[in-house]
Amino acid sequence: MISKGYNTLRALIETRYGILSQLISNVEKHYHSPWIDFRNYVIKTAKENCDGDHEIYFSILHNFDTEEEILESLLKETRRILFCSIFSYYENMLNEILSYYGIATKAQQVKQVFEVIKKEYKNRYSEELIADAASDFYRLLRNYFMHGKLSSYKDYVKLHSFVEATDGIKLYGNMSIDITDNSFLLKSLNDLRRILVDIEESFTLKITEEWMTLKRVKEYISEIIKLYPPEYPGLEDEYPPFCSIKVHKLILEAEKECLPLAKRGNAEAQMLLSRLYLNLYEIPNKKRGLVWLRKAANQGYQDAIKMLKNY
């Protein structure tokens, strides 16, 4: 069940995480139950038809080894598929993050996409993104399971060293790698989900801070308009109305809070800043106001587009 209050992106991260964790938890049960049913059926059939001939009875039971091998083979293959699905989940969610936060890039490899997101975060907020990239182990293992080989001997050495140091996965004679325990799958899934959540929470925190800043700026503007002295018809162009010290301080405070957001490309902040310069400063700064108004309009901000038509 997805907790209330998540944005669309976080809900997507958690929903797909929930589906994968449930698949992992049920994979052995999915194969094990039919196997138990099959074994019980064979035992019953053997008892009913052997007529006391234990040699026939045990020859039937001997086939269990083959069935167990089939079951184990199915589990190994399914675990491989599930691991590839886990890494695809991580890869797809990184691309969803790009789309959700409007980050443009031509990068396609997972590691490159993560670096683009990290760089964009720093450009927007002048801070480092507190999130680690996925381990090379997961990337190499996914490539090995999907393609049956790696691009270089160096990658093989690196992958094998990871496998030897990790529980729930085993290397057979430097030739084959199998996931032997579902706990490895769950750990991989949780590791990758944690990275995605760290990214999402970092962006959400900054967006919340921006929203609070814009809310304060709007409150300043409302207060400015309420306290602004009445104009004198015919004289306002030559003699701008006198502003109280309080109004002047509110204008400066609104500009101070709005300017960093506008510089980072926030269209609403650009629009509000243009209003300050065009309509609320004691002496309007039309040139500066139109610069920010055009920036907001160029981003498709409808209020700015409408306002720009009047100039």
Side-chain angles (χ1 to χ4, degrees):
M1 181 115 183
I2 302 302
S3 299
K4 293 181 179 178
Y6 283 159
N7 61 27
T8 305
L9 176 62
R10 180 62 181 277
L12 193 59
I13 290 171
E14 298 296 350
T15 299
R16 294 189 180 179
Y17 167 81
I19 292 170
L20 282 169
S21 60
Q22 188 171 8
L23 284 172
I24 293 167
S25 299
N26 291 338
V27 63
E28 288 192 39
K29 182 180 177 182
H30 176 75
Y31 288 119
H32 194 58
S33 295
W35 164 242
I36 291 174
D37 292 342
F38 172 78
R39 183 183 62 184
N40 291 338
Y41 169 76
V42 173
I43 290 173
K44 181 182 177 182
T45 302
K47 286 181 177 179
E48 289 176 350
N49 295 282
C50 69
D51 293 327
D53 190 338
H54 294 287
E55 185 178 345
I56 296 175
Y57 173 62
F58 285 114
S59 68
I60 296 173
L61 294 184
H62 183 69
N63 290 327
F64 287 165
D65 291 340
T66 304
E67 294 298 330
E68 286 174 347
E69 288 173 2
I70 292 172
L71 174 62
E72 187 59 31
S73 177
L74 284 171
L75 282 173
K76 286 178 181 179
E77 206 58 41
T78 302
R79 287 182 180 129
R80 288 185 173 206
I81 293 169
L82 281 171
F83 179 81
C84 292
S85 298
I86 289 168
F87 199 86
S88 292
Y89 155 73
Y90 173 68
E91 186 175 17
N92 291 337
M93 288 300 97
L94 285 180
N95 285 315
E96 290 291 343
I97 288 170
L98 292 178
S99 176
Y100 191 85
Y101 293 113
I103 304 172
T105 180
K106 293 181 180 179
Q108 294 183 343
Q109 294 184 6
V110 176
K111 199 169 184 179
Q112 293 174 341
V113 171
F114 177 85
E115 289 302 321
V116 166
I117 292 170
K118 193 172 182 179
K119 183 178 179 181
E120 180 66 18
Y121 185 88
K122 187 171 184 178
N123 288 341
R124 289 187 186 185
Y125 307 115
S126 302
E127 294 180 15
E128 294 291 342
L129 176 65
I130 308 301
D132 296 321
S135 167
D136 278 347
F137 174 33
Y138 294 145
R139 178 180 59 82
L140 292 173
L141 187 61
R142 189 281 300 266
N143 290 345
Y144 173 79
F145 283 159
M146 284 191 67
H147 307 297
K149 61 181 180 178
L150 297 175
S151 58
S152 69
Y153 177 75
K154 184 179 178 180
D155 284 343
Y156 274 107
V157 173
K158 188 185 293 187
L159 178 58
H160 290 177
S161 66
F162 280 134
V163 171
E164 290 171 354
T166 306
D167 293 332
I169 188 166
K170 189 173 181 180
L171 176 65
Y172 298 93
N174 294 330
M175 293 296 291
S176 178
I177 297 173
D178 285 321
I179 298 170
T180 58
D181 196 296
N182 287 353
S183 61
F184 172 79
L185 292 173
L186 289 171
K187 182 183 182 303
S188 304
L189 178 60
N190 286 325
D191 286 348
L192 296 177
R193 172 191 170 274
R194 182 70 260 164
I195 296 168
L196 297 169
V197 170
D198 285 345
I199 295 171
E200 190 278 327
E201 287 183 344
S202 296
F203 273 96
T204 297
L205 178 62
K206 290 300 179 183
I207 289 172
T208 302
E209 289 175 357
E210 287 188 352
W211 182 84
M212 293 298 293
T213 299
L214 291 173
K215 183 173 181 288
R216 284 196 302 274
V217 170
K218 291 174 186 177
E219 289 171 352
Y220 292 151
I221 289 175
S222 295
E223 188 72 5
I224 290 166
I225 292 171
K226 185 169 70 174
L227 297 175
Y228 214 96
E231 297 182 6
Y232 299 90
L235 297 178
E236 62 271 14
D237 292 334
E238 188 174 355
Y239 304 102
F242 171 76
C243 281
S244 68
I245 293 176
K246 181 176 181 180
V247 169
H248 186 73
K249 284 183 176 179
L250 286 170
I251 291 172
L252 294 179
E253 188 63 30
E255 180 187 24
K256 178 184 174 182
E257 294 219 29
C258 211
L259 193 56
L261 299 187
K263 286 181 177 179
R264 291 205 295 259
N266 187 298
E268 187 174 8
Q270 292 168 347
M271 172 68 186
L272 292 172
L273 198 58
S274 72
R275 285 192 62 194
L276 288 172
Y277 292 134
L278 293 172
N279 306 124
L280 298 177
Y281 257 91
E282 299 96 319
I283 301 176
N285 189 327
K286 186 174 180 180
K287 182 178 179 181
R288 187 176 294 181
L290 286 176
V291 166
W292 289 110
L293 189 61
R294 289 192 183 99
K295 286 180 180 293
N298 288 339
Q299 294 195 70
Y301 196 74
Q302 290 302 311
D303 288 346
I305 293 171
K306 291 175 184 177
M307 187 173 172
L308 190 59
K309 289 178 180 179
N310 296 324
Y311 288 91

